[in-house]
Amino acid sequence: MLNVAIIGAGALGTALAQSLSKNLDNVYLYARRQKVVDDINNLHYNKDYYPNVKLNENIQGINEFGILSDADCVVLTIPSSNLREIMKHLVEFIPKDCLIVSTIKGIEKSTSKTASDIIKEIAENPVAILSGPNIAREIVLNLPAATTIAIDSKEFEDPIREIFESDEFKLQFNFDPIGTEFCGVLKNILAISTGICDGLNINDSAKFAVLNKGFVEIQDIIVNLGGQPDTILNYCGFGDMVTASTLTVSRNHTLGQFFGQKIVIDENKTGIVFEGKNSIKSIKKLCDEKDMDSAIVDFVYDVIINKINPEYAFEQLWRNL
C-alpha cells in the first residue's frame, strides 16, 4: 500500500486527490487552513473550489506534516512563491527516498530558480515533473485527461503508474526534466501573449500567427537551456500551450486580456497567482544572458513589466514575426 500526499488543496491539488483516490486506499490532502481540512474530513467537500463536487471519503485532509514520516510520494500543487517555505518544513518529516512530484509551473522571483532547482537545493529526494494540458475542473469530474511526467530514472515509472494512471488519466513519460519543466513555465508567457491579443481584439489569423511564432521560439529556448527539442511535442508542450493560450480557464491568458484592455488588477486583494507574470522577468533575463532573441518574450515583457501601450507593443511584435 503506497502512502501518498498532495501538498496544496487548491483547484489542481483537490482534483488530483480525487483522481488518485480511485487507485489508493488513502490520499492525504494538505491545506494550511483548518476550516478547509475540517470540511474535507467531515463534509467531503472543498467548498472554496468545488462546492458541488463530493470528494471521495478516502481523501483525508491534514494541516501538519508529521503524519508523512512514511510517505512514498508527495505531490506539490502550490504556487512557486510558497515552495521554498513549504520545502524547508516538509523535508524535516518525509523519508529521503520519498518521491517528490512537482506540478509547479513558475520560477522563484528572487533567484530565477525553477521548482526542481529549489527542491534539489533543499532535499535529497528523487524528483519528477508532472506537466500537461490538465484542466482541474475536468479532472475532478473524472473526465479524460493526459499528462507528461518527466523522470530521471525508469525505476520510478511503475510506482508512478500505480499512483496516477487510470482509464481516464493517461500518462506519458520522458527523461527530459529540464524541457518538461520549462514547457510549463514558458507556456504561461505564451498564454499571456495570446491573451493580450484577445484583449486588443486582434483578428484570429494574426493571433494564431503569434501562437505559432511563440511555439517555435519556446522550442529554441528549451534547447538552449539544455532540454530536448522533441519534448515540446509531448502533452507538456503542444497540448498545454494550446490549452493555456486559447481557453478562458487559463489565468495567464485572462491576465493578458486584462492588460490588452488596459485593466489594472489588484493581485493582493484577489489572491490570484499569475505564474507567468512572476516568471517573465526571469525568462527575459535568461534570454538576454544567453543571447537568445524572442519576439514573444519581448512583447510580454514590454506590456506586463515596462507597461508599454499594448497597441504599440503589438505593432513592434508584428514587425518581428
Side-chain angles (χ1 to χ4, degrees), residues 260-271:
Q261 296 167 359
K262 302 175 186 176
I263 297 173
V264 177
I265 304 172
D266 190 332
E267 295 167 62
N268 293 325
K269 285 187 178 180
T270 64

Side-chain angles (χ1 to χ4, degrees), residues 98-160:
C98 174
L99 175 66
I100 298 175
V101 178
S102 171
T103 70
I104 300 167
K105 298 178 178 180
I107 292 180
E108 187 177 48
K109 284 195 292 185
S110 59
T111 66
S112 296
K113 291 184 176 182
T114 65
S116 64
D117 290 334
I118 297 167
I119 294 167
K120 291 175 181 178
E121 176 187 327
I122 297 171
E124 299 176 6
N125 300 70
V127 180
I129 310 299
L130 186 155
S131 183
N134 303 140
I135 300 172
R137 69 185 184 193
E138 295 183 353
I139 294 173
V140 79
L141 295 175
N142 203 31
L143 296 174
T147 199
T148 299
I149 297 186
I151 51 178
D152 290 321
S153 170
K154 196 170 178 63
E155 69 177 285
F156 299 114
E157 185 171 333
D158 286 342
I160 289 174

Side-chain angles (χ1 to χ4, degrees), residues 3-10 12-17 20-21 24 27-31 62 65 68 71-79 83 86-87 90 94 98-104 119 126-131 134 147 149 159-160 163-164 169:
N3 293 311
V4 178
I6 295 175
I7 311 301
L12 181 59
T14 304
L16 286 176
L20 270 55
S21 66
L24 305 168
V27 178
Y28 295 114
L29 180 57
Y30 171 85
I62 60 173
F65 294 144
L68 304 182
D72 298 297
C73 174
V74 295
V75 184
L76 302 176
T77 62
I78 55 178
L83 176 60
I86 290 287
M87 276 304 306
L90 182 64
I94 60 173
C98 174
L99 175 66
I100 298 175
V101 178
S102 171
T103 70
I104 300 167
I119 294 167
V127 180
I129 310 299
L130 186 155
S131 183
N134 303 140
T147 199
I149 297 186
I160 289 174
I163 294 167
F164 286 92
F169 197 61

